[in-house]
Amino acid sequence: MPALQVVQILNDYLDQKNIRYCHWKSNEHVDAAVEGKTDLDVLVDENEKENLRQVLSEVGFKYFEAIPCRRYVDIDDYLAMDRETGILVHLHLHYRLELGEKHLKGYRLPWEELLLSTRIYDNENHIYIAEPNIETIILIVRAVLKVRTRDSFKAMLGKDYFKGDFIREFRWLKERIDISKIQQLSEELLGSKATKLVLHVIDSESNLKLLLQSGNPIYSSLQKYRYSNPLFSRFLRWQREFKSLYYKSRRKFFQAPVPAHRTPINGGIIIAVLGADGSGKSTVTGEITKSFSHKLDVLSVYLGSGDGPASLIRLPLVWASKVGQVLRAKKSRNKSNYAQQFSSSSGTSKRKSKFSILGKVLWAITLVYEKLQKLQQSRTARDRGMMVISDRYPQTQILGFNDGPLLSSSNQAASPYPAFLQKWELQGYQYMVNTMPPDLVIKLHVTPEIALARKSDTPPEIAKQKVEAVHKFKFPPQTMVVNIDAAQPLDQVLLQAKLAVWENL
């Protein structure tokens, strides 16, 4: 796979503007970086910072701010979406060479000019990379500075610390180095004692374990580059690590609306994906969430009443509904599943039983509370800079179906539900619609024929009404609406949806 177009354009712009840059680490798999499969770690001349920001803006990169416990002074996070593939590219922009333990990076090595002045051009991947001899020394230094006390204990217990990516990079670099140049560079950068250890490690992988020893010559030679004393550094690292784990745990186990990664500087956004049954709402919502959540803080919510996740308050009714469907199916095998649901909105004139009326009333009441709770959570997430992606959204323009009030209908005289409950439910939906509108709406349009082909259990008349309803929905001026032809091949639909989200971040 060739380099992504957006990466090629960025590299061309940097060359045209004479801005020196260098992909300074992990060049064993730099091909994966230019393809958007891993991050781009690029060192740039800090004197070109203003020109660089202009280039990034012109190419389509946007700045995203990491949460405080994941943020570093001289490292910026930029993202861009490749318009041909919809792949999100993550650019780690390094103005200085900051290295160190995970969660801290407590060392600043003044080797930036050396890296930039000796960089070499990778003709295969069309990007400047670090000269292999320098990269080898930096790889060893990075390994030493990342070692924590817990790592040394694990190694004593027989756990292999040096494995995976490190070993692959180490072996790849060994094939490209000149040992005499390594010795010369190491003596200039680290001193003679540290150089002996560097050469010892390069000579045999079995000597890598020597890098885990506390106070080894390489570690000692780097202490002059520390930002702060060891005791304070350890405290700060623990503090940042604890906060990071705390935020991640709240997101993972409690679905709390708190950022744990990075957020856009323009603020968060609520995105609603709308469409008739069979338009691909769930697929599009899932793919958007998957594409953005590995880099940004994304909260995915379901605001419908069908097959999506239900709140605890509505869960007993979901179970009761499923039991009822099974019992009714035994009595009448020829009835459609669609007609069995509590939330059925076919408008049939068939007389409803008191039990059926009670079931739908309870369903509608719990649904109002559920949607209100989820929307309030969504608004909190957006206010904190998160991206909220919603499958469906409440509306009051069409009563009785398409995520509108269930107890109300255009024919009030025929409604079997108490007027005061209809009014209460409608007011609840109006409150949600008026106070918490989405920032972006993605409408997925299909024909009734396609909707029926994809969801054959929907009555034809209902499918037609739902398709027409999606076209009719109106939103306030501040809401951006994007219309997508969902009859296109799925990859095109997903690409257009991702680009719509990206352009509104």
Side-chain angles (χ1 to χ4, degrees):
M1 178 179 173
L4 296 177
Q5 184 184 60
V6 69
V7 177
Q8 294 178 3
I9 294 173
L10 173 62
N11 294 340
D12 290 342
Y13 267 55
L14 292 174
D15 290 338
Q16 291 170 15
K17 299 288 185 179
N18 294 317
I19 296 176
R20 293 188 303 164
Y21 75 92
C22 171
H23 192 271
W24 66 278
K25 67 174 184 175
S26 302
N27 287 305
E28 175 267 336
H29 53 269
V30 69
D31 55 337
V34 299
E35 292 168 8
K37 297 175 182 176
T38 61
D39 298 342
L40 284 163
D41 283 286
V42 175
L43 175 70
V44 294
D45 187 343
E46 65 175 332
N47 296 319
E48 296 286 349
K49 189 176 289 189
E50 291 304 318
N51 292 333
L52 182 62
R53 286 173 179 167
Q54 182 181 349
V55 167
L56 291 169
S57 177
E58 291 175 2
V59 174
F61 278 83
K62 299 179 182 181
Y63 173 70
F64 289 80
E65 190 168 72
I67 62 173
C69 62
R70 295 171 63 96
R71 194 182 307 157
Y72 300 101
V73 177
D74 291 308
I75 304 175
D76 284 343
D77 288 290
Y78 280 86
L79 299 177
M81 177 161 285
D82 184 65
R83 302 191 69 85
E84 290 186 338
T85 63
I87 293 175
L88 203 60
V89 177
H90 186 185
L91 173 63
H92 280 298
L93 206 57
H94 299 253
Y95 300 106
R96 292 185 176 186
L97 206 58
E98 290 186 332
L99 307 176
E101 313 96 314
K102 188 176 181 180
H103 301 291
L104 184 60
K105 298 191 185 301
Y107 295 78
R108 188 261 164 143
L109 278 57
W111 302 346
E112 298 90 357
E113 181 58 33
L114 175 64
L115 273 164
L116 292 173
S117 62
T118 58
R119 62 182 182 157
I120 60 175
Y121 191 73
D122 184 335
N123 290 297
E124 183 177 352
N125 296 295
H126 307 289
I127 189 172
Y128 279 100
I129 63 173
E131 193 273 331
N133 295 291
I134 298 173
E135 186 179 351
T136 301
I137 293 175
I138 290 177
L139 178 66
I140 294 172
V141 166
R142 286 170 55 211
V144 169
L145 296 182
K146 282 184 177 181
V147 174
R148 294 175 291 183
T149 304
R150 71 188 76 168
D151 299 319
S152 298
F153 279 124
K154 289 178 182 178
M156 291 172 60
L157 295 173
K159 186 172 181 180
D160 192 2
Y161 178 75
F162 297 101
K163 56 185 178 180
D165 288 343
F166 178 89
I167 290 297
R168 283 194 298 273
E169 290 181 35
F170 185 72
R171 292 172 179 172
W172 182 84
L173 286 167
K174 278 186 67 174
E175 295 174 356
R176 292 160 174 79
I177 60 173
D178 181 328
I179 200 67
S180 62
K181 289 184 178 180
I182 287 281
Q183 182 173 357
Q184 180 184 350
L185 280 168
S186 181
E187 289 180 350
E188 292 175 1
L189 299 174
L190 302 171
S192 57
K193 288 185 179 180
T195 298
K196 290 180 181 179
L197 179 55
V198 169
L199 297 176
H200 212 40
V201 165
I202 292 175
D203 182 58
S204 174
E205 284 184 18
S206 62
N207 294 324
L208 283 170
K209 62 180 181 292
L210 299 176
L211 301 180
L212 298 173
Q213 295 178 358
S214 177
N216 67 67
I218 297 176
Y219 178 83
S220 299
S221 70
L222 297 169
Q223 293 312 295
K224 59 186 176 182
Y225 301 125
R226 265 190 181 276
Y227 277 127
S228 56
N229 68 69
L231 186 61
F232 179 76
S233 294
R234 178 166 296 189
F235 169 76
L236 184 60
R237 187 183 75 234
W238 285 350
Q239 181 188 57
R240 289 168 63 95
E241 184 174 9
F242 173 79
K243 287 183 177 180
S244 180
L245 290 172
Y246 172 71
Y247 293 135
K248 285 182 178 180
S249 299
R250 288 192 65 191
R251 285 293 313 281
K252 182 176 181 179
F253 300 110
F254 303 102
Q255 288 75 52
V258 292
H261 297 288
R262 54 190 66 82
T263 56
I265 58 173
N266 295 326
I269 184 173
I270 295 179
I271 304 155
V273 179
L274 307 182
D277 294 340
S279 61
K281 295 185 299 297
S282 298
T283 300
V284 170
T285 302
E287 284 298 319
I288 291 175
T289 301
K290 180 181 177 181
S291 296
F292 287 89
S293 61
H294 67 297
K295 295 299 177 185
L296 302 178
D297 289 291
V298 180
L299 177 67
S300 180
V301 296
Y302 176 75
L303 291 173
S305 60
D307 297 330
S311 62
L312 291 176
I313 192 174
R314 191 165 61 92
L315 203 53
L317 296 178
V318 174
W319 292 338
S321 175
K322 291 180 178 180
V323 171
Q325 289 177 28
V326 172
L327 294 176
R328 286 192 294 270
K330 289 181 178 180
K331 293 181 179 180
S332 180
R333 295 290 182 182
N334 61 341
K335 289 185 178 181
S336 69
N337 292 330
Y338 188 87
Q340 304 296 319
Q341 297 176 357
F342 272 132
S343 56
S344 172
S345 52
S346 62
T348 177
S349 60
K350 182 178 177 180
R351 187 178 181 84
K352 294 178 178 290
S353 68
K354 290 183 179 179
F355 181 79
S356 176
I357 292 173
L358 176 61
K360 189 163 184 178
V361 166
L362 292 175
W363 185 276
I365 290 173
T366 57
L367 200 57
V368 170
Y369 284 113
E370 178 182 307
K371 290 187 178 185
L372 181 59
Q373 180 186 40
K374 288 181 177 179
L375 276 175
Q376 288 173 336
Q377 183 188 48
S378 298
R379 184 167 60 180
T380 299
R382 180 191 60 186
D383 292 345
R384 291 174 176 172
M386 297 175 65
M387 186 176 100
V388 180
I389 176 72
S390 172
D391 183 345
R392 305 170 181 262
Y393 215 81
Q395 57 84 22
T396 57
Q397 298 169 46
I398 300 176
L399 306 179
F401 69 104
N402 266 38
D403 304 305
L406 297 179
L407 304 181
S408 304
S409 68
S410 56
N411 185 3
Q412 293 294 326
S415 176
Y417 308 106
F420 77 94
L421 281 178
Q422 294 183 52
K423 181 179 179 181
W424 174 86
E425 183 195 33
L426 181 59
Q427 287 176 341
Y429 275 79
Q430 288 172 337
Y431 173 78
M432 289 185 275
V433 168
N434 294 332
T435 61
M436 292 174 278
D439 302 297
L440 170 65
V441 170
I442 298 176
K443 287 186 178 182
L444 302 176
H445 297 290
V446 292
T447 63
E449 293 75 20
I450 291 178
L452 284 170
R454 295 176 180 175
K455 291 281 186 177
S456 58
D457 58 348
T458 304
E461 186 59 32
I462 296 299
K464 182 179 179 181
Q465 292 177 22
K466 286 177 172 282
V467 167
E468 293 174 350
V470 175
H471 286 278
K472 293 178 181 178
F473 287 146
K474 304 294 183 184
F475 294 89
Q478 67 267 29
T479 297
M480 175 68 69
V481 179
V482 175
N483 295 286
I484 296 178
D485 179 7
Q488 300 177 92
L490 180 59
D491 58 346
Q492 288 300 310
V493 174
L494 294 176
L495 176 59
Q496 291 175 26
K498 292 175 187 177
L499 289 173
V501 172
W502 173 253
E503 289 167 359
N504 283 275
L505 285 178

